Amino acid sequence: MTIRLYDTSARQIRDFTPLQPGCVSIYLCGATVQAAPHIGHIRSGLNFDIMRRWFEYRGLDVTFVRNVTDIDDKIIAKSAEQGRPWWAIGYENERAFTDGYQALGCLPPTYEPRATGHITEMVEMMRGLIERGHAYEADGNVYFAVTSFPAYLRLSNQELEKLLQPSGEGETGKRDPRDFAMWKAAKPGEPSWETPWGRGRPGWHLECSAMAHKYLGTAFDIHGGGLDLIFPHHENEIAQAKAFGDEFARYWVHNAWVTMSGEKMSKSLGNSVLVSEMVKRWRPIVLRYYLGTPHYRSMIEYSEEALREAESAFARIEGFVQRVVEKAGAVEPSAEVPPAFAEAMDDDLGVPQALAVVHTTVRQGNSALAADDKEAAVARLAEVRAMLGVLGLDPLDPHWAGEGDRGEDLHGVVDTLVRMVLDQREAARARKDWTTADAIRDQLNQSGLVIEDSPQGPRWSLGPR
């Protein structure tokens, strides 16, 4: 068994060999909590949740760190705009991110450190970089001198001579305009912490280098994040950490975006779709299917039609699961997934190919049900549950219990009303009044209900929108 991953730094798929046999260490750039999350934010969490689940299925012990950036320029700007404390905005949105991850079935990280809780570690890193000649203080700011680190820009494959480094307000005293801020001098009314170079606050990039060092040590296996973080964020993280003396990440894995009209989903573009609103309109397990089943390096173009297709596809899987359980009772997941599924997942987390194995197995299971081959149907369900468990999509998992009916409180009432109508349809069928029976079924279908005739009697479910 060899897991292979696309490594951005190598620009190719590489065999994955962990630093420590039997263990995997992952650092994922998490939320900057200036606002509530849209589905593009949560896609990254989902992709790396599936990666983590696959490593664990393969018997590896995973340490998964996902940070929270709770102080930066955007949060401070929101604070001034709304007249609210920066920490209140940060905490409110951090909880919204946590709710979003949980709603879509992401396992909690091993550690979830906040930037503001690690000022000491940042000061220590800056001190070491200044002593080694890689950083300098100017006007209360601390900058990293990019020309002191020859490997700078190898991840993003840019030329230093052509570099345009993003700069923030108040970044004065730079020796070279390409240098980037690790620490920003305090401004009146803004949050600040004491350092040997005066009061100030961390720059965006320093926090991740310092927190990865604290929780994962001088070297770790995988650093993840969205494609938009390759430059400047990840490039600057590498420079800080390696100039400090760390080996840092051995593999760099980046997920693609969710786009709308070809543009990256972004709050600043006004085209975001908030998770808190989406889960009111769509079942969370369907959202997970929609966001988690394309390949992590493929863009997802958001549309209502694509979501409806995802809903229909998952309904086929879920319907098979429900039919077998009704016929055979509880079925535990098999100990191993089918070889074709494992082969797809080992090859750079090939979820689309793995999902094709799921659907093939569902079709085989449905054929077994039609042939009244209970043993084969149960075997296929055991395989399906094992595969869905890896993807976080098993409808029988306790996390999704009660989720499937879109409003558990109303389910009993709706069921009673539908049963009354179905009884009328059954009476019509009994007297061979097929016109009335078909008309009742058509009316139910038009209302969004799917009626399926089974040996145990008619069964209803909510159809795709």
Side-chain angles (χ1 to χ4, degrees):
M1 174 273 293
T2 301
I3 296 174
R4 306 175 73 230
L5 294 172
Y6 184 86
D7 179 4
T8 305
S9 61
R11 294 172 183 80
Q12 64 180 352
I13 294 177
R14 297 173 54 202
D15 290 352
F16 175 74
T17 305
L19 270 168
Q20 183 180 344
C23 300
V24 182
S25 47
I26 304 172
Y27 186 95
L28 174 63
C29 284
T32 299
V33 288
Q34 86 272 14
H38 56 63
I39 58 174
H41 293 127
I42 299 299
R43 183 193 181 184
S44 178
L46 276 174
N47 290 152
F48 285 91
D49 183 65
I50 292 171
M51 173 192 282
R52 173 189 183 173
R53 288 170 184 263
W54 183 242
F55 279 134
E56 290 178 345
Y57 170 81
R58 282 304 198 189
L60 298 165
D61 182 21
V62 179
T63 300
F64 181 59
V65 181
R66 184 182 66 212
N67 76 296
V68 175
T69 297
D70 60 341
I71 185 70
D72 85 330
D73 293 343
K74 295 177 181 177
I75 295 172
I76 291 172
K78 288 275 186 177
S79 174
E81 176 187 319
Q82 298 178 14
R84 299 173 60 206
W86 63 271
W87 46 263
I89 292 172
Y91 183 68
E92 175 183 279
N93 292 312
E94 180 183 338
R95 291 301 302 266
F97 269 88
T98 298
D99 291 346
Y101 291 131
Q102 289 177 344
L104 270 63
C106 293
L107 300 172
T110 312
Y111 307 109
E112 193 168 23
R114 295 190 185 105
T116 56
H118 297 79
I119 302 300
T120 299
E121 289 81 1
M122 297 182 207
V123 170
E124 290 175 356
M125 183 166 278
M126 286 188 288
R127 184 183 286 116
L129 289 169
I130 289 173
E131 291 172 354
R132 292 171 174 81
H134 292 290
Y136 58 94
E137 181 273 338
D139 300 336
N141 302 297
V142 179
Y143 298 107
F144 186 92
V146 298
T147 56
S148 73
F149 184 66
Y152 190 59
L153 299 181
R154 285 186 184 172
L155 181 68
S156 57
N157 199 30
Q158 298 184 77
E159 296 180 27
L160 185 61
E161 292 72 22
K162 298 178 180 179
L163 177 67
L164 295 174
Q165 185 78 256
S167 293
E169 182 183 350
E171 294 184 11
T172 61
K174 284 187 180 182
R175 298 174 185 173
D176 186 318
R178 298 168 296 187
D179 295 344
F180 62 86
M182 295 190 293
W183 190 260
K184 300 187 177 186
K187 297 178 185 175
E190 290 188 354
S192 63
W193 290 261
E194 190 61 63
T195 75
W197 313 284
R199 295 190 67 84
R201 61 180 176 85
W204 177 28
H205 317 298
L206 177 63
E207 61 183 70
C208 286
S209 298
M211 289 189 286
H213 177 90
K214 175 169 182 175
Y215 291 95
L216 297 176
T218 59
F220 58 96
D221 291 309
I222 297 170
H223 196 311
L227 284 172
D228 52 324
L229 299 182
I230 293 175
F231 181 84
H233 187 49
H234 288 165
E235 199 72 79
N236 293 352
E237 280 187 60
I238 292 171
Q240 293 163 156
K242 292 197 170 185
F244 185 68
D246 290 357
E247 181 184 340
F248 209 49
R250 299 175 67 245
Y251 297 81
W252 286 85
V253 179
H254 292 93
N255 64 276
W257 304 327
V258 178
T259 61
M260 291 182 73
S261 302
E263 293 187 275
K264 172 179 173 281
M265 190 168 285
S266 166
K267 299 185 187 75
S268 61
L269 292 175
N271 61 1
S272 59
V273 183
L274 295 181
V275 177
S276 59
E277 294 303 313
M278 292 294 286
V279 296
K280 295 175 184 176
R281 300 169 49 211
W282 301 90
R283 292 171 56 198
I285 197 169
V286 169
L287 284 176
R288 183 179 177 102
Y289 186 97
Y290 170 68
L291 293 171
T293 54
H295 194 274
Y296 74 91
R297 290 193 286 120
S298 298
M299 297 292 182
I300 299 175
E301 175 67 13
Y302 171 80
S303 72
E304 293 279 324
E305 181 182 359
L307 260 166
R308 285 192 293 271
E309 291 173 358
E311 185 177 48
S312 296
F314 185 72
R316 291 193 291 273
I317 298 173
E318 193 172 36
F320 165 68
V321 173
Q322 292 170 346
R323 285 190 289 274
V324 178
V325 170
E326 287 179 3
K327 188 177 187 67
V331 176
E332 291 301 312
S334 58
E336 296 184 0
V337 298
F341 181 94
E343 182 180 352
M345 292 299 291
D346 281 340
D347 187 14
D348 195 29
L349 303 176
V351 174
Q353 295 77 15
L355 192 65
V357 180
V358 174
H359 282 286
T360 297
T361 309
V362 167
R363 286 194 294 272
Q364 293 169 348
N366 281 328
S367 296
L369 284 173
D372 202 25
D373 187 345
K374 178 179 175 182
E375 183 178 350
V378 167
R380 299 295 80 75
L381 176 55
E383 292 172 345
V384 167
R385 286 202 65 194
M387 293 186 282
L388 293 178
V390 167
L391 302 176
L393 287 167
D394 182 1
L396 301 181
D397 185 279
H399 176 81
W400 304 112
E403 185 271 343
D405 296 311
R406 297 186 206 151
E408 188 68 22
D409 292 344
L410 291 176
H411 182 271
V413 175
V414 174
D415 184 66
T416 299
L417 294 173
V418 174
R419 291 291 169 193
M420 291 172 59
V421 177
L422 289 176
D423 287 344
Q424 295 175 18
R425 177 173 176 264
E426 287 302 292
R429 295 180 70 189
R431 62 179 182 265
K432 299 187 181 336
D433 184 356
W434 309 118
T435 302
T436 300
D438 290 345
I440 292 174
R441 179 170 183 154
D442 290 344
Q443 288 177 336
L444 289 171
N445 286 339
Q446 290 173 11
S447 71
L449 297 174
V450 174
I451 307 304
E452 179 183 3
D453 294 314
S454 72
Q456 292 75 35
R459 175 174 49 225
W460 70 271
S461 63
L462 287 169
R465 297 155 197 256

